Amino acid sequence: MSSYRDTLYYIFRGGPPDAGIPARVRAEIRSNEATSERLIGWVQLGLVLFFSSLYAIAPRAEGSAGFNFVPIALGIYFLFTVLRLFLSYRFELPNWYLLVSIGVDMALLVGLIFSFHIQYGQHPTFYLKTPTLMYVFIFIALRALRFDPRFVLTTGLAAVAGWLGLVFYAVLADMDHMRVTRNYVEYLTGNTILIGAELDKTMVIFAVTIILSVALYRGRSMLFEATRDHAAAMDLRRFFAPEVAASITGADTQLQAGEGNLREAAILYADIRSFTATSAGLPPETVLAVLAEYQNLVVEVINQEGGRVDKFLGDGILATFGAIQPSTTFAADALRAATRLIETVDAGQHRFSAAGWPGSLRVGTAVAAGKVTAGVIGSKSRLEFTVIGDAVNRAAKLEDANKAQHTKALTDRATWELARAQGLQVPLIEERPGANVAGIPQPLDLVVLAH
């Protein structure tokens, strides 16, 4: 009994439950459904205009002595369609209105078919042979655009009920004369009813409805998953560089730890001076507000110069140039970013003060170039995309050396010369050959980028 109840609940709900789906994902699904409703409205408007034009230019059928309901039906449907389309742009149409719309669609179609025997002065069996019934499949197919099987099912069942009503009326309309026949020729050439033929039409409408509904029930589950995955992929782009996010979401196989590439790249480290000591006396919201202002400024500079932020290290930033995608100007880009970073932070002091930072926010940065391995590290349950190599370690040590060297931005001579060869035109400020850098065994020739 429970399984039947679950099945009925599944049908009436329109497929899988949206429990567990984030509100923003549900909002995106509703937005797509609203767009589909507007598309359905435009298609219906196009159809009614097309058939109205066709009716206007077509020659009148002979024998139509009775009242012609076609222009009235087309006019009413045109006005209803325009109203429905207008309302769909004003707000999200509620389900009850959509059900009313389905009822209007079927009522107009069934009413139009019913009117034919009046218009042509024939027995009701006359309208059972009209090809206008075929339009019911258009209405059923249109509802599939919304990707909600409940409306397809409702439309199909309403069409079946309407057609059966027409059949029963034709059978019972003239009890004095039996209109039911088993002769197919007599059925086609006279005002008689072939029960098998009417059942065939009914079963075809019903079968098309069921097939489309089943396909949509299955498709709706995939829609939920696809929308959820799309939202997750868009969120992923906020946590990773666009190229990294694309490589994760577009990978043909599941990424595994140990996958990577060896690249010539430049690494930039940036760090706020005395951040830990100063932030210890500030409210948490102030600390985060200052960090947000600082990171927005710095990340914009890095992105503009062709770099990508690899990770945020508290108040520190690790950025790469040429590690994710090969570049022929990675060193030049990184040094330009380092000098611009210092200038941008100095020019943005008013923003940090407004956010609550006491005094001047001072930053140190450094750049080192060389071969790095860019790839995936971690365990089976948690992976991370990062860069590993001597240039990464050297950039971190150089950034730390800013304190001992009383500078704001440093690089080594090899990186500087490589950047100049790649087109860097920043003037040389100062060289400090043979400097000892903590953590690096051999003395380095340093180049000062900013004091």
Side-chain angles (χ1 to χ4, degrees):
M1 182 65 69
S2 177
S3 61
Y4 289 117
R5 197 162 47 240
D6 292 342
T7 302
L8 287 175
Y9 184 55
Y10 184 89
I11 292 173
F12 288 129
R13 190 177 52 213
D18 56 7
I21 298 178
R24 55 192 170 80
V25 178
R26 292 199 298 270
E28 184 174 350
I29 292 173
R30 287 197 302 271
S31 175
N32 289 334
E33 289 180 340
T35 302
S36 297
E37 278 303 321
R38 289 192 285 271
L39 176 60
I40 291 171
W42 281 111
V43 173
Q44 286 179 325
L45 183 61
L47 286 173
V48 72
L49 289 175
F50 172 75
F51 289 124
S52 298
S53 302
L54 201 62
Y55 178 80
I57 64 176
R60 300 282 76 81
E62 294 183 4
S64 53
F67 185 77
N68 189 355
F69 291 89
V70 174
I72 296 177
L74 289 174
I76 294 174
Y77 193 63
F78 172 78
L79 293 176
F80 179 78
T81 302
V82 170
L83 175 63
R84 181 178 174 279
L85 190 57
F86 171 75
L87 293 177
S88 69
Y89 278 94
R90 297 298 299 271
F91 53 83
E92 183 180 345
L93 297 178
N95 286 346
W96 66 264
Y97 186 86
L98 299 179
L99 294 175
V100 169
S101 177
I102 291 172
V104 171
D105 291 345
M106 291 299 105
L108 282 172
L109 183 61
V110 171
L112 187 62
I113 295 174
F114 181 82
S115 72
F116 288 156
H117 85 286
I118 301 174
Q119 177 183 350
Y120 291 95
Q122 299 291 321
H123 187 272
T125 55
F126 176 79
Y127 60 60
L128 296 179
K129 302 175 180 63
T130 176
T132 309
L133 175 65
M134 297 299 101
Y135 293 148
V136 74
F137 296 108
I138 296 178
F139 287 112
I140 295 173
L142 273 176
R143 289 297 162 187
L145 294 177
R146 184 183 170 91
F147 237 74
D148 190 330
R150 292 174 297 179
F151 297 109
V152 172
L153 196 57
T154 303
T155 305
L157 293 178
V160 169
W163 183 249
L164 287 177
L166 291 174
V167 172
F168 280 116
Y169 180 83
V171 171
L172 302 175
D174 189 356
M175 297 300 293
D176 294 334
H177 300 85
M178 179 58 64
R179 296 283 178 170
V180 177
T181 182
R182 292 186 178 183
N183 188 310
Y184 188 69
V185 175
E186 184 181 350
Y187 162 71
L188 288 179
T189 57
N191 286 339
T192 56
I193 302 172
L194 183 63
I195 298 299
E198 307 314 325
L199 287 177
D200 284 345
K201 296 173 188 175
T202 305
M203 290 306 299
V204 168
I205 297 173
F206 186 72
V208 169
T209 299
I210 295 300
I211 291 170
L212 271 179
S213 298
V214 171
L216 287 179
Y217 275 110
R218 297 183 62 187
R220 193 167 176 82
S221 300
M222 297 175 65
L223 172 67
F224 277 28
E225 290 298 324
T227 305
R228 197 200 319 252
D229 290 346
H230 174 72
M234 296 305 295
D235 288 343
L236 200 63
R237 295 175 186 274
R238 300 179 61 196
F239 287 88
F240 296 93
E243 297 85 352
V244 175
S247 68
I248 295 172
T249 58
D252 293 331
T253 58
Q254 189 175 29
L255 295 179
Q256 302 291 337
E259 297 179 2
N261 298 293
L262 187 65
R263 297 272 171 80
E264 287 282 348
I267 308 298
L268 181 149
Y269 263 99
D271 189 65
I272 301 175
R273 292 288 169 259
S274 305
F275 181 82
T276 303
T278 306
S279 62
L282 297 175
E285 58 271 18
T286 299
V287 174
L288 294 177
V290 172
L291 264 181
E293 290 288 346
Y294 163 72
Q295 289 168 345
N296 281 331
L297 286 175
V298 172
V299 170
E300 184 177 0
V301 169
I302 291 170
N303 288 339
Q304 288 175 353
E305 295 298 338
R308 292 292 181 263
V309 172
D310 181 272
K311 57 178 61 68
F312 294 100
L313 307 164
D315 61 305
I317 294 177
L318 167 61
T320 65
F321 294 77
I324 299 175
Q325 285 189 329
S327 169
T328 57
T329 59
F330 57 88
D333 296 337
L335 292 190
R336 272 195 302 271
T339 55
R340 279 192 59 198
L341 187 154
I342 299 299
E343 295 169 357
T344 302
V345 170
D346 288 344
Q349 291 299 322
H350 63 285
R351 296 174 61 172
F352 309 133
S353 298
W357 189 256
S360 175
L361 187 139
R362 296 175 294 111
V363 176
T365 186
V367 175
K371 291 185 180 298
V372 299
T373 299
V376 180
I377 62 171
S379 64
K380 293 180 179 179
S381 58
R382 187 183 185 281
L383 300 175
E384 182 175 329
F385 191 92
T386 191
V387 286
I388 304 170
D390 175 66
V392 181
N393 179 67
R394 193 162 13 107
K397 303 302 182 185
L398 286 174
E399 193 286 311
D400 207 37
N402 277 306
K403 303 170 187 175
Q405 297 293 327
H406 303 287
T407 55
K408 292 182 178 180
L410 284 174
T411 189
D412 58 82
R413 182 71 189 182
T415 301
W416 172 262
E417 290 178 351
L418 178 59
R420 297 288 289 184
Q422 292 177 354
L424 181 69
Q425 296 180 352
V426 175
L428 178 64
I429 296 177
E430 182 184 349
E431 288 187 272
R432 296 181 182 180
N436 291 317
V437 177
I440 299 180
Q442 301 298 327
L444 278 179
D445 294 334
L446 301 181
V447 175
V448 178
L449 301 173
H451 285 291

